[in-house]
Amino acid sequence: MSTLYERLGGADAVNAAVDIFYRKMLADDRVNYFFDNTDMDRQIAKQKSFLTMVFGGPNNYTGKDMREGHKHLIKRGLNDTHVDIVIEHLGSTLKELGVPDEDIS
Amino acid sequence: MAVVSYQKSKVVLQDNESVLQGLERLGEKIPSSCRSGACQCCLMRAVAGAVPAKSQEGLKETLKSQHYFLACQCVPTEDLAVTLPADDAVPVYPAQVISKKQLNEEITSIRLSCPAGFRCRPGQYIQVMQDSHIRSYSVASLPIEDGFLELHVRKIPGGSMSTWFHETCQPGMQCSFRGPFGSCFYVPDADRQFPILLVGTGSGLAPLEGIARDALQQEHEGPVVLIHGSLRESGLYHGNELTALQSANKAFSYRTSVVESGETESADIRQFAKSELTRLGAAGARIFLCGAPDLVNDLKVRLFLAGAASSHIHCDPFIINAAST
Ligand SMILES: Cc1cc2nc3c(=O)[nH]c(=O)nc-3n(C[C@H](O)[C@H](O)[C@H](O)COP(=O)(O)OP(=O)(O)OC[C@H]3O[C@@H](n4cnc5c(N)ncnc54)[C@H](O)[C@@H]3O)c2cc1C
Ligand code: HEM
Ligand code: FES
């Protein structure tokens, strides 16, 4: 079976997905304050390699461990509600790109 | 803790200390300017040990593969032996100052002879070397067509290089530089229809003017809109040249944004840039943002949120820092 990465359409699709997703995050006042001191280009690059890995594409993901990467955010009140918002935006991003529901879950 | 060797010295880096900070603590004079990864003046080469990817961000592939890195961005996890750049990989060019002309109260234009063998794209920057200082300046001219390199230098009170340009530098004098650096320049596609939006304040106009002229020279067919902003009317410059360029090219529009003017449409450069982007069609546009770092960073996020693709936003924030060398 092909990977979700291939079905999505490879690198171009991941690039488009990350832009749409990150735009939704930055436009959402419930979560955007977490990104105030985050460099946009660097974060987008990390998200690309992270999502490529999640979708089963070729990647060289070298990001920090997830817990490590969010430690300073947890101190600032990051919790499960925020994670739900991330999942909501990721879900609607994939829908916009025409990914079938069974792939999204 | 990582140990950094340089010439005959060795330093054990402290927690989160960069190679630049560590060597400066030893009393070594390493060229630097912005201390934030933007100017590439602190370029060094690792002859032993691997440098973190973050310290190579923005470098040309040829330099990356030769283990060049930015000392101010390099917090190594392993021991390194480092040197300053070698002449064969990063050649230093001699140039002569051809002319000097005050553009407005703050900004002077410097034309340098274009040395044989030197190639760069308008919008890229060169690093001028004077005494022990190295500073980055963007190329505003088309080196081949114009036959010279033009820089627009803003006077920074107490700044070493900008003061040298404004007060000491005279036509006929020699100076040296290395480069080119940076990726803020026009790249044509299969089709040349995409809109281009260029926004900057002050001497940020230098690369933008170069990029716009380069695009028109390469017969770009889509609209090219350049917005130059300033607090006051007197802070603008090259208005005549850009108006003439507009008259000669249907594709090109020159717009100004002056805070003092109070113009409802254009006085706020952030709003103005966003509405121009929307008018041009955000999705396919290529965007160039240069000059004051706060404005560049603000516009980058704002125009991205307005629909521009992140990979099509090119920025050169002119980061100036409390300099030590
Ligand atoms: C990629 C890039 C391209 C650049 N292109 C250009 C260009 O085309 N034209 C141009 O004029 N400059 C450009 N710069 C800035 C330039 O490289 C120098 O940093 C600048 O000219 C100051 O150098 P200096 O030696 O005169 O000052 P330095 O000796 O480095 O001293 C700077 C001093 O200014 C203070 N300072 C910091 N910010 C400001 C501020 N906003 N206003 C006043 N003082 C401040 C600092 O605290 C410090 O004391 C560019 C920078 C980068 C990173
Ligand atoms: C759904 C689960 C999540 C995943 C898979 C995820 C993924 C990632 C990854 C891969 C990084 C890069 C880590 C690194 O290498 O530095 C990162 C950083 C970051 N994440 Fe998340 N994330 C999630 C949830 C969240 C939430 C809920 C928020 C806040 C609303 C958030 C905000 C951030 C921020 C601000 C950074 C950058 C930190 C910095 O600037 O150093 N993330 N995330
Ligand atoms: S990039 Fe290191 S000092 Fe500017």
Side-chain angles (χ1 to χ4, degrees):
Chain A
M1 213 185 97
S2 62
T3 61
L4 175 55
Y5 178 77
E6 286 158 0
R7 273 175 282 148
L8 270 172
D12 285 348
V14 170
N15 291 352
V18 170
D19 267 17
I20 296 171
F21 167 67
Y22 198 58
R23 207 174 275 131
K24 286 181 193 291
M25 292 290 290
L26 287 187
D28 187 335
D29 289 337
R30 295 171 299 173
V31 288
N32 57 13
Y33 55 93
F34 286 110
F35 294 88
D36 281 351
N37 297 317
T38 302
D39 179 85
M40 181 170 119
D41 299 320
R42 220 169 260 159
Q43 185 69 4
I44 284 179
K46 279 182 194 168
Q47 299 276 2
K48 279 180 186 162
S49 58
F50 182 74
L51 278 187
T52 302
M53 177 181 73
V54 171
F55 296 156
N59 70 87
N60 50 358
Y61 182 70
T62 53
K64 286 178 247 171
D65 170 81
M66 283 287 300
R67 209 168 292 279
E68 189 60 34
H70 295 87
K71 218 156 77 186
H72 56 298
L73 301 176
I74 293 171
K75 282 201 202 110
R76 289 173 51 196
L78 181 70
N79 62 40
D80 286 348
T81 28
H82 301 119
V83 176
D84 290 342
I85 295 169
V86 169
I87 292 171
E88 167 197 323
H89 285 318
L90 193 56
S92 67
T93 300
L94 296 179
K95 229 193 211 98
E96 270 178 46
L97 289 169
V99 178
D101 281 346
E102 61 267 27
D103 275 338
I104 293 177
S105 51
Chain B
M1 289 286 93
V3 178
V4 177
S5 322
Y6 170 70
Q7 296 179 344
K8 293 193 177 69
S9 337
K10 266 191 196 332
V11 61
V12 183
L13 292 186
Q14 296 165 354
D15 235 11
N16 265 325
E17 194 177 34
S18 68
V19 170
L20 179 64
Q21 290 166 323
L23 292 175
E24 285 178 340
R25 188 157 52 79
L26 276 192
E28 296 292 352
K29 291 219 178 316
I30 306 296
S32 71
S33 177
C34 75
R35 297 178 167 264
S36 47
C39 73
Q40 305 195 2
C41 291
C42 62
L43 192 67
M44 294 189 86
R45 178 167 181 235
V47 287
V51 296
K54 185 180 175 222
S55 66
Q56 294 190 310
E57 268 177 25
L59 291 185
K60 282 185 281 220
E61 288 306 321
T62 48
L63 291 180
K64 280 187 192 174
S65 64
Q66 295 177 75
H67 314 292
Y68 276 89
F69 67 96
L70 301 175
C72 72
Q73 297 299 300
C74 183
V75 179
T77 50
E78 55 181 88
D79 294 355
L80 297 179
V82 302
T83 63
L84 287 175
D87 275 357
D88 53 343
V90 189
V92 175
Y93 297 92
Q96 191 173 40
V97 179
I98 302 175
S99 66
K100 175 173 167 179
K101 183 179 164 203
Q102 200 67 23
L103 297 172
N104 64 25
E105 231 169 76
E106 282 196 304
I107 301 171
T108 194
S109 140
I110 305 283
R111 287 184 179 172
L112 302 175
S113 59
C114 191
F118 177 75
R119 287 271 173 285
C120 80
R121 298 295 306 278
Q124 285 193 297
Y125 57 92
I126 59 173
Q127 294 177 347
V128 178
M129 307 166 93
Q130 182 61 34
D131 298 330
S132 57
H133 306 294
I134 303 186
R135 298 286 182 272
S136 298
Y137 295 95
S138 308
V139 176
S141 54
L142 306 190
I144 297 172
E145 290 75 8
D146 297 337
F148 52 78
L149 302 171
E150 180 170 302
L151 313 178
H152 300 166
V153 181
R154 182 164 77 97
K155 191 169 165 68
I156 304 291
S160 48
M161 188 72 77
S162 60
T163 305
W164 182 82
F165 271 123
H166 277 258
E167 288 172 11
T168 311
C169 171
Q170 292 301 333
M173 284 174 86
Q174 293 291 324
C175 72
S176 46
F177 70 85
R178 60 186 197 193
F181 298 91
S183 53
C184 223
F185 53 82
Y186 174 70
V187 181
D189 252 5
D191 84 87
R192 288 157 197 250
Q193 304 288 340
F194 55 84
I196 300 178
L197 177 64
L198 311 112
V199 191
T201 53
S203 58
L205 178 63
L208 302 179
E209 190 176 356
I211 297 162
R213 284 186 58 210
D214 187 24
L216 298 173
Q217 173 78 23
Q218 296 195 49
E219 297 178 350
H220 187 75
E221 289 160 14
V224 179
V225 176
L226 188 160
I227 304 177
H228 190 205
S230 177
L231 290 174
R232 280 174 289 279
E233 195 75 36
S234 62
L236 300 173
Y237 63 89
H238 273 189
N240 292 342
E241 287 83 344
L242 290 163
T243 306
L245 195 64
Q246 175 174 262
S247 312
N249 291 276
K250 270 207 316 289
F252 180 66
S253 324
Y254 165 58
R255 315 298 300 270
T256 59
S257 166
V258 177
V259 175
E260 213 184 45
S261 73
E263 292 277 347
T264 43
E265 189 202 358
S266 67
D268 179 348
I269 195 167
R270 296 171 165 87
Q271 283 302 331
F272 189 34
K274 191 177 150 186
S275 61
E276 284 296 289
L277 179 69
T278 309
R279 190 177 62 78
L280 292 168
R286 308 291 153 91
I287 295 167
F288 295 90
L289 308 171
C290 299
D294 287 350
L295 179 70
V296 166
N297 290 328
D298 181 287
L299 277 175
K300 177 162 77 168
V301 174
R302 208 178 274 256
L303 299 182
F304 172 71
L305 287 176
S310 60
S311 58
H312 286 164
I313 307 179
H314 305 279
C315 300
D316 260 345
F318 290 1
I319 300 175
I320 301 172
N321 214 326
S324 41
T325 46

